[in-house]
Amino acid sequence: MKQAAYDEIRRLIVTLQLRPGERINEQIVSDRIGIGKTPVHQALQMLSAQGFVQIIPRKGIRIMPDTLHDALDVLEARSVIEGELARFAAHRSDTRIIDQIEQNLALGRRAIKQKDFEDFTQIDRSFHEIVAVAAGNIILSETLKALHDRIARIWHLRTWKLDHLQKTQEEHTTVFRAIAARDGDAAALAMRAHLDTLRKNIVDARIVT
């Protein structure tokens, strides 16, 4: 129940159904998600440790906003970690992983053609998760998952344009080609260039303050 409460509260935060700066309490959350106060309390403690909420004694709980500094810090950490994950994936992936990435890219092309931004968001995250799994390092993969969670809200803070999705798709393809060619250096560089594009989009769009 604690995990179920955590997953649901995090989903509400990431999708902005609980807005940055909003004040809540355990009873409100418990009633909203239909889970008892004890697992909700435990879940909120976990979310506090991860920076999603601020627990204020005797005053309730505040949904933490994302600042530009926070977003850039997360992307900097992702760049370091995911660059190496892509490098490892180039050396360690097998034909099954290559097929999974190809399938992911095909789904991405379809989502762009259909202008399905929500679907593309999930496909984008799946791409990075497949590469992380291919790298074969559980510790780095788990660290990356936490970083993805921290920055997931950014996808809901603005309306992304179709050319952003097309650029992401192109960069994913470049990473894939380097991995398929077993070129670790090229894979690392391509992944870091991809995340640098995201960083520039966030700064240019001023979607966080």
Side-chain angles (χ1 to χ4, degrees):
M1 294 304 294
K2 177 180 70 174
Q3 187 62 47
Y6 169 85
D7 290 342
E8 181 59 15
I9 298 168
R10 190 185 69 80
R11 185 187 68 80
L12 293 173
I13 293 172
V14 167
T15 59
L16 301 181
Q17 294 180 63
L18 290 174
R19 304 288 300 183
E22 184 176 344
R23 296 295 181 94
I24 59 175
N25 60 49
E26 291 180 2
Q27 188 62 58
I28 289 173
V29 176
S30 179
D31 292 343
R32 181 163 181 172
I33 67 175
I35 296 177
K37 287 184 65 175
T38 297
V40 163
H41 173 81
Q42 295 169 335
L44 288 168
Q45 293 293 326
M46 294 167 61
L47 289 162
S48 175
Q50 295 169 358
F52 283 102
V53 303
Q54 178 188 19
I55 298 174
I56 307 171
R58 297 181 297 280
K59 292 185 178 180
I61 298 145
R62 175 173 175 258
I63 307 301
M64 291 296 288
D66 285 316
T67 68
L68 179 59
H69 179 75
D70 292 336
L72 296 183
D73 277 355
V74 170
L75 284 172
E76 186 174 65
R78 279 187 59 184
S79 182
V80 172
I81 293 171
E82 291 201 66
E84 292 309 301
L85 285 171
R87 185 192 307 278
F88 294 154
H91 297 307
R92 299 172 181 173
S93 60
D94 54 24
T95 56
R96 180 181 58 85
I97 292 294
I98 297 300
D99 288 345
Q100 286 182 9
I101 299 177
E102 285 186 316
Q103 291 169 15
N104 176 276
L105 293 173
L107 291 172
R109 289 191 294 270
R110 186 179 70 181
I112 291 172
K113 185 177 181 179
Q114 297 174 348
K115 298 182 181 180
D116 190 335
F117 288 74
E118 188 66 30
D119 194 29
F120 190 87
T121 299
Q122 300 304 317
I123 293 165
D124 172 78
R125 177 154 182 169
S126 179
F127 173 86
H128 290 271
E129 289 175 347
I130 294 169
V131 173
V133 170
N137 187 304
I138 294 175
I139 302 300
L140 287 177
S141 295
E142 290 178 347
T143 302
L144 178 61
K145 182 180 183 302
L147 292 173
H148 273 291
D149 289 344
R150 283 293 305 273
I151 208 169
R153 205 165 19 168
I154 286 174
W155 283 93
H156 298 269
L157 284 171
R158 65 163 295 179
T159 301
W160 294 90
K161 297 179 180 178
L162 192 60
D163 60 346
H164 290 140
L165 273 58
Q166 292 168 333
K167 178 66 171 175
T168 295
Q169 180 76 8
E170 292 169 4
E171 291 173 345
H172 283 182
T173 301
T174 301
V175 173
F176 164 70
R177 288 173 178 165
I179 290 173
R182 313 298 182 189
D183 189 335
D185 289 343
L189 286 171
M191 183 64 82
R192 287 176 180 142
H194 168 50
L195 292 169
D196 189 54
T197 297
L198 178 57
R199 181 190 65 80
K200 289 176 181 177
N201 287 340
I202 290 170
V203 171
D204 293 345
R206 301 179 184 275
I207 61 175
V208 287
T209 58

